[in-house]
Amino acid sequence: MQLVTYERNNQRSTGVLTDAGVVDLPSASHGTIPGDMLRLLQGGAAMLAQAREALGADSPIPLADIQIKAPIAKPGKLLGIGLNYADHAAEGGRKKPDYPLIFAKTVPATIGMGEAIHLPPVSQMVDFEGELAVVIGTLARAVSARDALDYVAGYTICNDVSARDYQRRSGHTPGKSFETFAPLGPVIVTQDEIPDPHALDIRTVVSGQEMQHSNTKQLIFRIPYVIEYLSHIFPLEPGDVITTGTPSGVGAYREPPRFLKAGDTVRIEVEGIGVLENPVVAG
Ligand code: ZN
């Protein structure tokens, strides 16, 4: 299933994206399934099973009549893993880390497909990072890597937008937490449809030019290990998002550097999930 948060006549709801449009889940389930994605995910596997059952009960709303929003507007935690692709660590002249480098994106809210990334006037070095993101589905506290994928609801795409000047001056969290720096979506693909999250082609195109092209098989720390590691620090809760790191080709390490400018569009494609595209505007 491809879960979405969408808006119609200024009203937000949850749905499932199908070839014919979006099936509204609260309506198809006669009110059993919440119209809020965080609450839906808190219902765990049972709620996802209900969504699957409800699918046929209502006709899809055409995409032209709705707006797809970020699947989770305010994740309880939005965590990033730094230097998690061998090729990206190498381009920055860094050796492969021994342990995951973890940071929090403390953005006020994520933004969805088509919503603008605002360039903050104080930064001259705003960069893109195309990433596969994991959405937690079940409370995970000190879990083992072997069981870790049981705690995953599904996968989405994140653009881990980064102000490199602030990242260098003040650390990952400020550099990556400016408002609008977390495009997310467009869908959460449930885990059953992604049997191997470590075999997905990933590509970032900025204003028509391919900047990053890799595969999630390049991940240094794989998703089960990352979940094990994080879940021993703090509990991971339904709706928490872990963005798994970016491959080589970011703007900061290009010759010459290529930072985002007003008028750009950033398009991230992840195999099996879809396309997340956002315009860039002056802040
Ligand atoms: Zn990143």
Side-chain angles (χ1 to χ4, degrees):
M1 272 186 309
Q2 306 212 339
L3 298 170
V4 293
T5 293
Y6 75 96
E7 212 169 86
R8 188 193 194 193
N9 307 325
N10 292 319
Q11 184 115 18
R12 251 173 218 224
S13 189
T14 53
V16 174
L17 182 64
T18 69
D19 289 340
V22 167
V23 176
D24 182 76
L25 283 172
S27 148
S29 67
H30 306 288
T32 317
I33 300 177
D36 175 76
M37 185 67 78
L38 262 184
R39 285 182 50 222
L40 186 159
L41 292 170
Q42 283 159 0
M47 189 68 80
L48 292 180
Q50 272 185 33
R52 228 166 254 121
E53 267 169 42
L55 258 186
D58 209 354
S59 45
I61 308 162
L63 284 180
D65 296 347
I66 63 169
Q67 205 188 352
I68 302 283
K69 309 299 284 186
I72 306 170
K74 289 176 183 284
K77 294 191 267 311
L78 176 47
L79 302 164
I81 310 298
L83 299 176
N84 203 19
Y85 278 77
D87 52 5
H88 177 52
E91 76 178 340
R94 312 280 288 269
K95 70 176 184 62
K96 272 193 197 179
D98 295 325
Y99 295 97
L101 172 70
I102 298 156
F103 58 88
K105 282 175 87 76
T106 60
V107 285
T110 60
I111 62 171
M113 176 80 173
E115 292 181 293
I117 298 164
H118 289 254
L119 298 173
V122 293
S123 173
Q124 312 311 314
M125 300 173 79
V126 177
D127 207 348
F128 49 86
E129 293 193 351
E131 306 194 3
L132 169 70
V134 180
V135 180
I136 296 295
T138 306
L139 179 72
R141 183 181 268 129
V143 302
S144 72
R146 204 177 51 181
D147 303 328
L149 292 185
D150 297 347
Y151 297 83
V152 171
Y155 301 94
T156 187
I157 302 171
C158 182
N159 184 352
D160 179 18
V161 183
S162 307
R164 301 296 183 201
D165 35 13
Y166 275 78
Q167 187 180 336
R168 285 168 193 168
R169 278 179 213 161
S170 303
H172 276 71
T173 290
K176 289 164 177 282
S177 299
F178 284 86
E179 206 165 350
T180 73
F181 273 22
L184 194 73
V187 298
I188 298 170
V189 179
T190 49
Q191 169 157 234
D192 54 299
E193 293 186 14
I194 310 276
D196 184 2
H198 305 103
L200 307 176
D201 205 66
I202 179 166
R203 191 167 167 259
T204 306
V205 177
V206 177
S207 297
Q209 195 189 344
E210 182 179 284
M211 295 291 182
Q212 302 184 284
H213 192 180
S214 188
N215 190 286
T216 55
K217 70 178 176 214
Q218 292 250 0
L219 283 173
I220 297 169
F221 300 112
R222 295 192 155 213
I223 292 161
Y225 174 75
V226 166
I227 291 173
E228 175 185 284
Y229 192 87
L230 288 171
S231 76
H232 280 79
I233 305 171
F234 36 60
L236 296 170
E237 297 169 292
D240 285 355
V241 176
I242 305 162
T243 189
T244 57
T246 203
S248 64
V250 297
Y253 296 133
R254 304 187 79 87
E255 258 324 316
R258 168 63 163 95
F259 293 111
L260 294 176
K261 53 184 196 296
D264 277 336
T265 55
V266 185
R267 177 186 169 92
I268 303 170
E269 305 165 4
V270 179
E271 186 181 358
I273 298 176
V275 174
L276 175 65
E277 190 166 317
N278 297 86
V280 178
V281 302

